[in-house]
Structures are given as structure tokens and as C-alpha cells.
Amino acid sequence: MGTIVLVATLTPPCASRAWLSAPHPDLPLIATATANALRIYSLTSFTLLSTITGGHKRSIRSCSWKPGTKTQPVIATGSFDASVGIWSQEEDDKEEWRFAIVLDGHESEVKSVSWSAGGNLLATCSRDKSVWIWEEVGEDDFETVAVLQEHEGDVKCVAWHPEEELLVSASYDDDIRLWREDVDDWGCVSVLRGHESTVWAVDWEPTQGKKEENNSRLVSCSDDGTIRIWKKKPNQERPQQSRLSIIRTTSAEEWVEQIQLPKRHVRTIYSVAWSKQSHRIASVGGDGKIVVYEEHPVECLVNGETNDTGHGIGRVEPNGTLNEAGAHEDGHGSQEASLGDSQIKKEESSSWQVVAEYDCAHGVFEINHVAWAKAKVDGSQQEVIVTTGDDGEVKIWQVS
């Protein structure tokens, strides 16, 4: 079992609750959404660089950096005042930020904002049960391209696929929905059901270094105390609708629950993050605990043969249990194979194991968000975990 070590606490801490911290994709910066401001910290010195106030009338709940803005950073903010703000750093004074535009339309608190990989689309979601997609059509000029209203409850989180224009949303209605554009209209292409309570957050598996094509995965966490990995069934062709068609039909995609991670949290899990570098998953929640998981491939032989654990293989269920021929520890999973009488087939499975835990990471306070980032530690850029808590503190950790 590894050890989670505190590297630094960003200074000065926030005077009130901190909701979320978003690392810049290219620069050593991290933005923290708080009750009274957006705060920009350095991931080199771990000190405050800028405090952004104004623009919004209430607390900032979420923020997201626009990709491809290394020379002049741009960040979107979502507020409890139901508005979305776009901010850009001043060229002449790096400590000053310009409130470029406000996007109005939501009828209640904006819970999450997310830029697409190309930086041309911005997704927002709200307590009003809707997901909005905005397109940047010019400098400080955005148009609404979709208002998606199929969720039946407060929408907690939105996140874009790291390469495709594929959006995922998670909701108080216990569902996860996937959205794509079909012809010129956005629609739901899949509904992922399995969680038994509010789904608080989702995150995509990084695509760097992946060998599989058309085999996306995402991770979700919930008030039901589970963390689940969902997988798109491979080699699915999305039929294109004729542009002559009058009736829009959004092509469906089939996603399945691949596995549930080992249970370590005893209260609501508020946030999960999938690392681009180590490909580990980190989770945090109401119990104040940080948990880090790691995936280990397991090659299975089906139809009475054995895997590397020596157990006979029947079928590994998505929740990690093995029926027919043995039993695995929680955290193993694979898909059922259909075999002939004499056929033996190898299955690709995986075992997710807890590699590190840390209790009471923010004292008695709940942890609202977790993210992976790169920070300067011992003179070099290294992978770190960033946690954001109700105590107003943002902490930097390493797994050793």
C-alpha cells in the first residue's frame, strides 16, 4: 500500500468554502471557485497570484480553463446567480483579469461548466435540470446551440470527451446521459443507469497512449457510495441520418457498466478524477477521505479454464463478483463470452485495487473536489493530487 503525502497547502487559504479547483492544461496555474471570488494560484510557488471578483452576484460554483489559451488564458465560471462568465487575462498585467462576457439563460444555480477539447464549445448545467451548449462564434460572442432538458433532476456535472464532441452529464435523477450532435441538432445517444442515488461527478478516461480504438470509458461517483466505470461497446458504427429527413432521430450508442471499484468511502462520494499520467483514479467525499485506485489487467481463459489467480472462470459480473466457477475480490470485472462446446477464448478483464488512502485530509471538513495536476516538487514537474474542501483550503498531495 502506498502513502499519500501532503506536499503543500495553497496560501493564503480561502476565507470561506471552496468548491472546486481546476488546473490549467498547459500552464502551472490552478483556479479555485469559492464563495466570494475566483482565486488563481501558482503550482510552482503554491501562492496566490490573482483574486477575481465582480461579474457575478453570488458564489462561483465551478470553473473551467479554455484549451489552447496558453499565451492569454481564458476561463469560464458558473455561479449560483444562474449566470456563466468568461474571463481573460490582461496582456499587460498578468494579475488582472477582464470580465469579457456574461452568458444568461439558466433559471437557477449553475453547477458545472466544461470546454470541449477544441475550445469552440462550452457546456453548462444547472439546478434547473437543463444542459446548455454554447458555441463561440467570434471574439466575446457566443450563441446557444442546444438546450437539453431530458434530465428529471438537478444536473450536477458536465464533461466533454478528451477528443470527440461527445458530452456527458450526471444528475440528481440518478442517471448519466451522453449527448452528440446529429446533423444540426443535439440529442441524447445513451442513458447510463445503475446508480441508486444522485450522481455527483463523472470523468473521462484519458485517451493518451490508449491502444483500443472506439472503446471509450468514463468513471462516475454517487451518493450511493459507489464508483462505477462505464464502457462503450467497441466497433459500433453510428448510422448517419439523411439530411433530407424531416424527423430527427439521434443514433443510439450502447454503453455498459464494466466494473465497480472497491468500496472505501462511508459517505457521499462527491468527486472522481482519472489521471492522464499514471491512469490512476482518485476519489473524495463527505467522509474527508482521499482514495487512490490502480488498474491491473487480468487475462482470463473462459469455458472451464483458469486465469492467473488459479480460479476457474465462469462470468465476472459488473459489480466484481464471479459466478459459476469461483469468486473474486471486489474490484474485478469482465464481460461474458459466448463460446461453442470446444472453443476456449481469452477475455480481457481488469482488477482495480486501492493503492493509497488518507483519512481526514481536511480535518473534520468534507472534500468537495479532487483533480490531478502537475506541480513543481523538489525542483521538477511531478504528478500531484489536488483536493478542495469546505474548510476553504486547497491541498497538494503525492502518492509515494
Side-chain angles (χ1 to χ4, degrees), residues 245-308:
S245 174
I246 299 175
I247 302 175
R248 179 181 67 85
T249 56
T250 304
S251 306
E253 299 179 4
E254 190 172 1
W255 287 69
V256 294
E257 180 185 314
Q258 183 187 28
I259 197 171
Q260 291 182 32
L261 271 57
K263 290 188 177 181
R264 290 295 187 271
H265 291 281
V266 295
R267 294 182 64 184
T268 300
I269 306 170
Y270 289 131
S271 181
V272 286
W274 208 323
S275 166
K276 294 180 181 179
Q277 182 174 326
S278 65
H279 294 272
R280 290 172 168 174
I281 288 175
S283 62
V284 296
D287 57 7
K289 179 184 289 188
I290 305 170
V291 185
V292 180
Y293 312 82
E294 188 172 79
E295 184 177 25
H296 298 275
V298 178
E299 187 179 84
C300 300
L301 294 178
V302 188
N303 197 26
E305 296 297 320
T306 60
N307 67 357
D308 61 0

Side-chain angles (χ1 to χ4, degrees), residues 52-319:
I52 302 174
T53 57
H56 294 294
K57 298 176 183 177
R58 295 182 62 193
S59 300
I60 296 174
R61 178 63 177 83
S62 180
C63 58
S64 177
W65 295 97
K66 182 180 178 182
T69 58
K70 188 174 181 179
T71 55
Q72 187 179 11
V74 172
I75 192 167
T77 52
S79 170
F80 279 81
D81 67 6
S83 70
V84 177
I86 308 295
W87 307 77
S88 60
Q89 189 180 53
E90 294 287 4
E91 293 185 26
D92 299 332
D93 188 349
K94 301 299 183 182
E95 293 185 6
E96 296 297 321
W97 292 75
R98 180 176 65 92
F99 190 60
I101 190 173
V102 61
L103 305 178
D104 288 318
H106 283 293
E107 297 176 357
S108 189
E109 304 164 4
V110 177
K111 294 297 184 73
S112 177
V113 295
S114 177
W115 291 96
S116 65
N120 59 313
L121 298 174
L122 177 68
T124 63
C125 66
S126 169
R127 190 176 180 179
D128 65 11
K129 307 178 185 179
S130 71
V131 175
W132 288 51
I133 299 176
W134 315 76
E135 182 176 14
E136 187 174 18
V137 294
E139 185 176 356
D140 299 342
D141 189 9
F142 286 76
E143 289 183 355
T144 306
V145 295
V147 179
L148 310 171
Q149 297 178 301
E150 294 185 32
H151 278 295
E152 297 179 358
D154 179 356
V155 188
K156 300 292 187 182
C157 180
V158 285
W160 288 98
H161 188 280
E163 290 184 351
E164 304 175 39
E165 287 188 353
L166 171 63
L167 181 68
V168 62
S169 59
S171 172
Y172 182 81
D173 64 11
D174 309 347
D175 288 348
I176 300 166
R177 289 182 177 266
L178 293 161
W179 313 86
R180 282 188 191 271
E181 187 179 24
D182 190 6
V183 186
D184 291 320
D185 207 353
W186 285 82
C188 182
V189 294
S190 193
V191 182
L192 283 54
R193 293 193 168 106
H195 282 296
E196 298 175 358
S197 191
T198 303
V199 185
W200 278 95
V202 287
D203 195 19
W204 290 96
E205 178 182 19
T207 54
Q208 295 95 320
K210 284 192 65 178
K211 295 180 181 180
E212 302 90 347
E213 294 183 0
N214 194 24
N215 204 12
S216 297
R217 293 191 298 177
L218 60 88
V219 62
S220 60
C221 64
S222 168
D223 188 53
D224 65 12
T226 67
I227 298 172
R228 304 174 189 233
I229 292 179
W230 308 82
K231 185 176 182 178
K232 181 181 177 182
K233 285 201 170 180
N235 304 319
Q236 281 192 322
E237 294 290 336
R238 295 196 308 115
Q240 295 296 316
Q241 180 189 357
S242 169
R243 291 184 179 271
L244 299 177
S245 174
I246 299 175
I247 302 175
R248 179 181 67 85
T249 56
T250 304
S251 306
E253 299 179 4
E254 190 172 1
W255 287 69
V256 294
E257 180 185 314
Q258 183 187 28
I259 197 171
Q260 291 182 32
L261 271 57
K263 290 188 177 181
R264 290 295 187 271
H265 291 281
V266 295
R267 294 182 64 184
T268 300
I269 306 170
Y270 289 131
S271 181
V272 286
W274 208 323
S275 166
K276 294 180 181 179
Q277 182 174 326
S278 65
H279 294 272
R280 290 172 168 174
I281 288 175
S283 62
V284 296
D287 57 7
K289 179 184 289 188
I290 305 170
V291 185
V292 180
Y293 312 82
E294 188 172 79
E295 184 177 25
H296 298 275
V298 178
E299 187 179 84
C300 300
L301 294 178
V302 188
N303 197 26
E305 296 297 320
T306 60
N307 67 357
D308 61 0
T309 67
H311 292 289
I313 295 300
R315 182 181 69 205
V316 186
E317 302 292 351
N319 65 2

